Amino acid sequence: MAGLLENKVAIVTGGGSGIGRATCLRFFQEGAKVVVVDRNLAGAEETCQLMEGTDQDSTAMSVDISKTGQVEKMVSDSVTMFGKLNVLVNGAAILIRTPSLAEVDELDWDLTMDTNIKGLFLCCKYAIPAMLASQGQSGSSSSNLGSIVNIASMSGIKGTAYSVPYAVSKAGVIHLSKVASAQYSSQGIRVNSISPGGVDTPQMRGSTASAETFQERNEGHPMGRVGTADEIANLITWLSSDQASYVSGINYIIDGGAWAAVE
Ligand SMILES: NC(=O)c1ccc[n+]([C@@H]2O[C@H](COP(=O)([O-])OP(=O)(O)OC[C@H]3O[C@@H](n4cnc5c(N)ncnc54)[C@H](O)[C@@H]3O)[C@@H](O)[C@H]2O)c1
């Protein structure tokens, strides 16, 4: 039986770790050709090895998404290698814990915006023309329509106290996705964002600072645990597939019911 992403070519940024890696592995299982992008090349290469495919199935690329030239090359190399581009998942991001707004270091603000907003914008900017050009390619017409999934966060919705720059950047990701949907859904490119709550990844374990705090996050959750990267990858896979052909411009909260349980 054909996989959900058969005949699709996908770029996944942040593919060297956490949610991005889980997404790459799931995409591969569903039949996509996967470009695993990360500034940590060793992590991206490890993800490719975990797929156990051939050179024709996936490739690892070392890219800093905040650098225009590198992003432009990422897209053109992907198209050269696999012939087209159908799916972009923007997962690469950084989380720097900061004090309250008046004490936020300007450098932390700039570093966060450079990756989480400018980098994501650049990936969309260069991927969209390649996706539009891919619509005339061989293969079934539906498999050549485009989908962009931008990973935002619950921090972009509620007043997360631990990082002003991160929270503002993620609110920007949600809005960028809506504007891009308004501009491109008429041309066959769907754009959605997802907002996970806590997910057990290297980023979260780093941001919670200690095993004790991590345990508290689990215990305070209505389901008694934070999410797994695989659970987030399931939603990203569905949104990237033709099963979601009428879904665009939406931000999906995926937090195991935590937001609904806030009194
Ligand atoms: N883990 C959570 O609890 C959680 C919750 C909500 C949202 N998110 C979001 O999900 C996404 C994935 O997070 P994760 O938890 O898997 O994080 P992670 O730290 O495990 O992975 C992020 C990856 O992005 C890469 N990266 C960072 N900056 C980059 C850059 N400039 N260029 C290229 N690659 C870069 C890192 O090297 C890393 O491999 C992020 O957008 C994150 O903000 C995570």
Side-chain angles (χ1 to χ4, degrees):
M1 198 179 83
L4 275 179
L5 300 177
E6 211 70 45
N7 294 319
K8 291 194 189 286
V9 176
I11 292 176
V12 181
T13 74
S17 176
I19 296 169
R21 171 173 288 173
T23 301
C24 290
L25 299 180
R26 182 72 201 283
F27 274 23
F28 175 68
Q29 286 167 2
E30 295 294 343
K33 310 274 189 206
V34 189
V35 182
V36 184
V37 169
D38 208 292
R39 66 179 173 185
N40 171 10
L41 181 60
E45 286 174 340
E46 200 179 309
T47 301
C48 285
Q49 283 157 15
L50 289 167
M51 292 183 202
E52 293 178 349
T54 69
D55 289 351
Q56 315 305 313
D57 297 322
S58 70
T59 191
M61 279 189 200
S62 170
V63 178
D64 179 343
I65 60 159
S66 66
K67 307 281 186 251
T68 308
Q70 292 187 30
V71 173
E72 199 171 0
K73 188 170 180 322
M74 166 190 90
V75 173
S76 63
D77 285 356
S78 301
V79 173
T80 302
M81 198 165 295
F82 293 122
K84 60 177 187 169
L85 178 64
N86 311 115
V87 175
L88 169 67
V89 177
N90 281 307
I94 54 170
L95 165 53
I96 303 171
R97 289 177 77 86
T98 64
S100 295
L101 193 151
E103 282 82 45
V104 171
D105 193 310
E106 200 177 326
L107 181 64
D108 288 342
W109 177 272
D110 287 345
L111 283 172
T112 303
M113 295 304 162
D114 270 2
T115 295
N116 297 10
I117 282 288
K118 183 184 165 193
L120 184 141
F121 153 72
L122 289 173
C123 290
C124 293
K125 175 178 166 64
Y126 288 102
I128 285 170
M131 285 181 172
L132 291 171
S134 299
Q135 290 176 4
Q137 302 283 311
S138 61
S140 76
S141 57
S142 59
S143 64
N144 284 330
L145 295 177
S147 170
I148 298 176
V149 181
N150 294 322
I151 308 187
S153 169
M154 284 307 295
S155 298
I157 295 174
K158 58 185 184 180
T160 302
Y162 55 78
S163 180
V164 178
Y166 182 78
V168 173
S169 74
K170 292 301 187 179
V173 169
I174 294 168
H175 204 65
L176 181 149
S177 307
K178 286 186 181 150
V179 174
S181 170
Q183 294 175 336
Y184 290 100
S185 59
S186 61
Q187 296 175 61
I189 299 179
R190 297 180 295 104
V191 188
N192 294 287
S193 59
I194 65 163
S195 288
V199 185
D200 186 1
T201 68
Q203 185 197 77
M204 193 200 175
R205 286 183 183 251
S207 70
T208 52
S210 72
E212 203 175 53
T213 322
F214 180 71
Q215 194 49 33
E216 281 169 16
R217 286 284 299 267
N218 281 311
E219 285 166 2
H221 193 283
M223 289 191 181
R225 64 172 182 88
V226 298
T228 66
D230 288 340
E231 287 170 323
I232 310 305
N234 287 339
L235 176 57
I236 296 170
T237 302
W238 178 74
L239 281 171
S240 303
S241 78
D242 295 337
Q243 302 248 312
S245 55
Y246 202 55
V247 180
S248 193
I250 293 298
N251 178 56
Y252 279 82
I253 290 175
I254 172 164
D255 70 347
W259 182 235
V262 171
E263 289 177 15

